[in-house]
Short mmCIF file of all heavy atoms in Angstrom, two decimals:
data_model
loop_
_atom_site.label_atom_id
_atom_site.label_comp_id
_atom_site.label_asym_id
_atom_site.label_seq_id
_atom_site.Cartn_x
_atom_site.Cartn_y
_atom_site.Cartn_z
N ASN Q 876 66.13 -45.87 -46.52
CA ASN Q 876 66.16 -44.64 -45.72
C ASN Q 876 67.03 -44.88 -44.48
O ASN Q 876 66.86 -45.90 -43.80
CB ASN Q 876 64.73 -44.25 -45.30
CG ASN Q 876 64.69 -42.87 -44.68
OD1 ASN Q 876 65.51 -42.01 -45.00
ND2 ASN Q 876 63.72 -42.64 -43.80
N PHE Q 878 69.34 -43.20 -40.91
CA PHE Q 878 69.41 -42.15 -39.88
C PHE Q 878 70.84 -42.07 -39.36
O PHE Q 878 71.17 -42.61 -38.31
CB PHE Q 878 68.42 -42.47 -38.76
CG PHE Q 878 67.01 -42.60 -39.27
CD1 PHE Q 878 66.45 -43.85 -39.55
CD2 PHE Q 878 66.24 -41.46 -39.50
CE1 PHE Q 878 65.17 -43.97 -40.05
CE2 PHE Q 878 64.95 -41.57 -40.00
CZ PHE Q 878 64.41 -42.82 -40.27
N VAL Q 898 60.76 -43.34 -31.00
CA VAL Q 898 61.44 -43.76 -32.24
C VAL Q 898 60.84 -42.94 -33.38
O VAL Q 898 59.71 -42.47 -33.28
CB VAL Q 898 61.25 -45.27 -32.57
CG1 VAL Q 898 61.97 -46.17 -31.57
CG2 VAL Q 898 59.78 -45.66 -32.69
N VAL Q 899 61.62 -42.77 -34.43
CA VAL Q 899 61.05 -42.17 -35.64
C VAL Q 899 60.47 -43.31 -36.48
O VAL Q 899 60.96 -44.44 -36.41
CB VAL Q 899 62.10 -41.42 -36.48
CG1 VAL Q 899 62.51 -40.13 -35.78
CG2 VAL Q 899 63.31 -42.28 -36.78
N ASP Q 900 59.47 -43.01 -37.26
CA ASP Q 900 58.99 -44.01 -38.21
C ASP Q 900 60.14 -44.26 -39.20
O ASP Q 900 60.86 -43.34 -39.56
CB ASP Q 900 57.76 -43.45 -38.93
CG ASP Q 900 57.12 -44.51 -39.82
OD1 ASP Q 900 56.29 -45.26 -39.30
OD2 ASP Q 900 57.49 -44.59 -41.02
N PRO Q 901 60.31 -45.52 -39.62
CA PRO Q 901 61.41 -45.82 -40.54
C PRO Q 901 61.39 -44.97 -41.82
O PRO Q 901 62.42 -44.79 -42.47
CB PRO Q 901 61.21 -47.30 -40.87
CG PRO Q 901 60.46 -47.84 -39.69
CD PRO Q 901 59.58 -46.72 -39.21
N SER Q 902 60.22 -44.44 -42.19
CA SER Q 902 60.14 -43.63 -43.40
C SER Q 902 60.21 -42.13 -43.10
O SER Q 902 59.92 -41.30 -43.96
CB SER Q 902 58.86 -43.95 -44.17
OG SER Q 902 57.76 -43.64 -43.35
N CYS Q 903 60.58 -41.78 -41.88
CA CYS Q 903 60.66 -40.37 -41.47
C CYS Q 903 61.74 -39.63 -42.28
O CYS Q 903 62.84 -40.13 -42.46
CB CYS Q 903 60.99 -40.31 -39.97
SG CYS Q 903 60.83 -38.66 -39.27
N PRO Q 904 61.41 -38.44 -42.76
CA PRO Q 904 62.43 -37.63 -43.45
C PRO Q 904 63.26 -36.86 -42.42
O PRO Q 904 62.95 -36.90 -41.23
CB PRO Q 904 61.60 -36.67 -44.28
CG PRO Q 904 60.37 -36.46 -43.46
CD PRO Q 904 60.11 -37.77 -42.73
N GLU Q 975 52.59 -40.34 -32.68
CA GLU Q 975 51.76 -41.45 -32.27
C GLU Q 975 52.14 -41.81 -30.83
O GLU Q 975 53.30 -42.10 -30.56
CB GLU Q 975 52.03 -42.62 -33.21
CG GLU Q 975 50.97 -43.66 -33.20
CD GLU Q 975 51.36 -44.83 -34.10
OE1 GLU Q 975 51.86 -44.61 -35.21
OE2 GLU Q 975 51.17 -45.97 -33.65
N TRP Q 983 60.52 -51.66 -34.34
CA TRP Q 983 61.09 -50.84 -35.40
C TRP Q 983 61.28 -51.65 -36.67
O TRP Q 983 61.22 -52.89 -36.65
CB TRP Q 983 62.43 -50.24 -34.93
CG TRP Q 983 62.70 -48.89 -35.52
CD1 TRP Q 983 61.86 -47.83 -35.48
CD2 TRP Q 983 63.88 -48.47 -36.21
NE1 TRP Q 983 62.46 -46.75 -36.10
CE2 TRP Q 983 63.70 -47.12 -36.55
CE3 TRP Q 983 65.09 -49.08 -36.57
CZ2 TRP Q 983 64.65 -46.36 -37.25
CZ3 TRP Q 983 66.05 -48.34 -37.25
CH2 TRP Q 983 65.83 -46.99 -37.59
N SER Q 984 61.48 -50.98 -37.81
CA SER Q 984 61.77 -51.71 -39.05
C SER Q 984 62.61 -50.84 -39.99
O SER Q 984 63.21 -49.86 -39.55
CB SER Q 984 60.47 -52.17 -39.71
OG SER Q 984 59.66 -51.06 -39.99
N SER Q 986 62.71 -48.84 -43.93
CA SER Q 986 61.87 -48.38 -45.03
C SER Q 986 62.72 -48.08 -46.27
O SER Q 986 63.84 -47.61 -46.16
CB SER Q 986 61.10 -47.13 -44.63
OG SER Q 986 60.41 -46.61 -45.76
N ASN Q 990 58.80 -40.43 -46.27
CA ASN Q 990 57.56 -39.63 -46.32
C ASN Q 990 57.91 -38.15 -46.42
O ASN Q 990 59.06 -37.77 -46.24
CB ASN Q 990 56.76 -39.83 -45.02
CG ASN Q 990 56.03 -41.14 -45.04
OD1 ASN Q 990 55.91 -41.80 -46.07
ND2 ASN Q 990 55.55 -41.54 -43.88
N ALA Q 993 57.36 -35.60 -40.88
CA ALA Q 993 57.87 -36.44 -39.80
C ALA Q 993 56.76 -37.24 -39.15
O ALA Q 993 55.63 -36.77 -38.98
CB ALA Q 993 58.57 -35.58 -38.76
N LEU Q 994 57.09 -38.46 -38.77
CA LEU Q 994 56.19 -39.30 -37.99
C LEU Q 994 57.02 -39.91 -36.87
O LEU Q 994 58.03 -40.58 -37.13
CB LEU Q 994 55.57 -40.39 -38.88
CG LEU Q 994 54.66 -41.40 -38.19
CD1 LEU Q 994 53.49 -40.72 -37.50
CD2 LEU Q 994 54.12 -42.42 -39.20
N LEU Q 995 56.61 -39.61 -35.63
CA LEU Q 995 57.34 -40.13 -34.47
C LEU Q 995 56.41 -40.96 -33.61
O LEU Q 995 55.21 -40.66 -33.51
CB LEU Q 995 57.88 -38.97 -33.61
CG LEU Q 995 59.24 -38.38 -33.94
CD1 LEU Q 995 59.17 -37.57 -35.22
CD2 LEU Q 995 59.72 -37.49 -32.80
N GLN Q 996 56.96 -41.96 -32.98
CA GLN Q 996 56.22 -42.70 -31.96
C GLN Q 996 56.83 -42.36 -30.61
O GLN Q 996 58.06 -42.38 -30.47
CB GLN Q 996 56.32 -44.20 -32.19
CG GLN Q 996 55.55 -44.68 -33.41
CD GLN Q 996 55.51 -46.20 -33.46
OE1 GLN Q 996 56.45 -46.86 -33.07
NE2 GLN Q 996 54.40 -46.74 -33.92
N MET Q 1053 69.63 -45.95 -35.41
CA MET Q 1053 68.65 -44.87 -35.50
C MET Q 1053 69.34 -43.67 -34.85
O MET Q 1053 69.18 -43.41 -33.66
CB MET Q 1053 67.36 -45.25 -34.74
CG MET Q 1053 66.23 -44.26 -34.97
SD MET Q 1053 64.78 -44.58 -33.92
CE MET Q 1053 65.30 -43.83 -32.38
#
Side-chain angles (χ1 to χ4, degrees):
N876 190 28
F878 302 97
V898 292
V899 288
D900 187 87
S902 61
C903 190
E975 199 184 316
W983 212 52
S984 59
S986 173
N990 282 347
L994 177 59
L995 272 72
Q996 290 189 325
M1053 189 187 81

